[in-house]
Amino acid sequence: MERKLPEGIKAALVDMDGVLYDSMPFHANAWHQLFTDLGVTTSNPDEYYLYEGMTGADTIGMILKRELNQDTTLEERKALYAKKSELFRNCGEKKLMPGAADMLNALKGKGLNTVLVTGSAQSSLLDGIEKDYPGFFPRERRVTALDVKNGKPHPEPYLRGLEKAGVSPHEAIVIENAPLGVRSGKAAGCFTIAVTTGPIPASVFEKEGADMIFPDMITFAKWLKTI
Ligand code: MG
C-alpha cells in the first residue's frame, strides 16, 4: 500500500489515551475492577478497549443496562465515573507512549498545528500534558469529555477539534488508536490514521474505514519523518 498524506493538511487532531500515553491497560483494568465490584461477572479487561472514546458515563450506562438490566441516573453515573478515575490513578505511574514525542515533533516540523481531542476527563493525565508534551496542546487547543455533549463515536469531538484548529475537515488528519475514535474522525470528514497500540486487530480498524494503519507509534513517527 502506498502511504501518502492528502495535500493541504494544516492540522493534526490527536487523541490522548493509547496515543500520547500508554494508559489503556490501566483504563481497561480500572473498568474491569469497577464493574466486577458492582456484580458484573462477565467482564473481561480487553473488552474495554472496544469502548475507548465513549464518555465514561456512556460506558457505565451501557454496561449496567446490558449486564444487570439496571437504569442509572446521570448523578449515579458521574459518581461511578469518579470511582473509576480513582481506580485508574491507583493503577500506577502514567507512562508516555514510546514514539509519541517524535510523532508530535515530526508533525510540528511539517508546520501542522496540533489539537488534543480526547473522550477522557481524566484530570490525572490532562493536568500533566503541558509538562509531558510542552507547547503542543495549550488549553485553547484541547477538546475533552467536558467540552462535548456527545462522545466518540459521534463526530462532535473531532468537529470541535476542527473549530479549535480553525480548519476544515479536508485540512486535518486525525490520529487515533481506538475503533470508535476512528469512526468519529471519519464521521467528522477527516483523513484518519489508526495506530494499533493495543490488542485490537488491524482488521477492526479497516472496517471502521481508517485511511492508514500503523502497527505502533514508533513506526508511525519514523514514517512521518520520511515524507
Ligand atoms: Mg485513544
Side-chain angles (χ1 to χ4, degrees):
M1 178 175 78
E2 196 205 356
R3 285 168 158 168
K4 206 166 169 254
L5 287 186
E7 296 291 318
I9 297 295
K10 293 178 181 162
L13 310 182
V14 184
D15 176 49
M16 181 172 77
D17 287 290
V19 170
L20 299 176
Y21 294 100
D22 189 8
S23 46
M24 275 311 295
F26 288 179
H27 281 294
N29 285 334
W31 281 122
H32 179 64
Q33 205 178 322
L34 178 80
F35 287 118
T36 302
D37 290 349
L38 293 170
V40 174
T41 53
T42 53
S43 186
N44 163 358
D46 277 2
E47 180 187 353
Y48 298 104
Y49 284 86
L50 291 172
Y51 310 137
E52 193 200 338
M54 287 171 69
T55 64
D58 283 350
T59 303
I60 289 160
M62 179 187 72
I63 298 285
L64 291 183
K65 183 69 188 167
R66 191 187 76 194
E67 297 299 324
L68 303 176
N69 197 26
Q70 191 178 318
D71 291 307
T72 43
T73 65
L74 186 60
E75 286 304 302
E76 288 167 328
R77 292 196 292 274
K78 278 185 182 165
L80 288 170
Y81 184 64
K83 198 167 171 218
K84 183 261 174 180
S85 297
E86 194 190 333
L87 291 167
F88 174 83
R89 278 195 303 276
N90 293 341
C91 282
E93 282 296 300
K94 64 180 174 182
K95 287 182 281 187
L96 304 189
M97 181 63 74
D102 283 347
M103 179 254 309
L104 293 174
N105 280 313
L107 294 170
K108 192 179 176 186
K110 295 184 191 318
L112 303 196
N113 245 330
T114 42
V115 176
L116 185 77
V117 181
T118 176
S120 177
Q122 185 75 45
S123 58
S124 60
L125 293 185
L126 285 162
D127 290 348
I129 207 145
E130 183 55 31
K131 187 172 147 280
D132 295 331
Y133 297 104
F136 287 105
F137 305 107
R139 299 242 168 225
E140 67 276 12
R141 295 211 308 265
R142 294 183 193 180
V143 179
T144 76
L146 305 176
D147 300 308
V148 294
K149 204 161 147 267
N150 304 288
K152 303 168 189 177
H154 195 279
E156 186 184 350
Y158 281 111
L159 292 173
R160 292 294 311 277
L162 290 167
E163 280 171 24
K164 297 212 174 195
V167 301
S168 57
H170 66 270
E171 293 172 319
I173 55 171
V174 163
I175 300 164
E176 263 291 349
N177 71 305
L180 296 183
V182 169
R183 197 186 301 171
S184 173
K186 291 299 292 179
C190 300
F191 188 90
T192 301
I193 298 169
V195 186
T196 60
T197 61
I200 301 171
S203 58
V204 175
F205 295 91
E206 279 167 28
K207 281 194 200 117
E208 294 290 353
D211 295 290
M212 282 188 204
I213 302 174
F214 289 86
D216 56 67
M217 197 55 71
I218 292 170
T219 309
F220 177 47
K222 274 189 189 155
W223 177 78
L224 276 174
K225 286 183 197 159
T226 67
I227 61 168

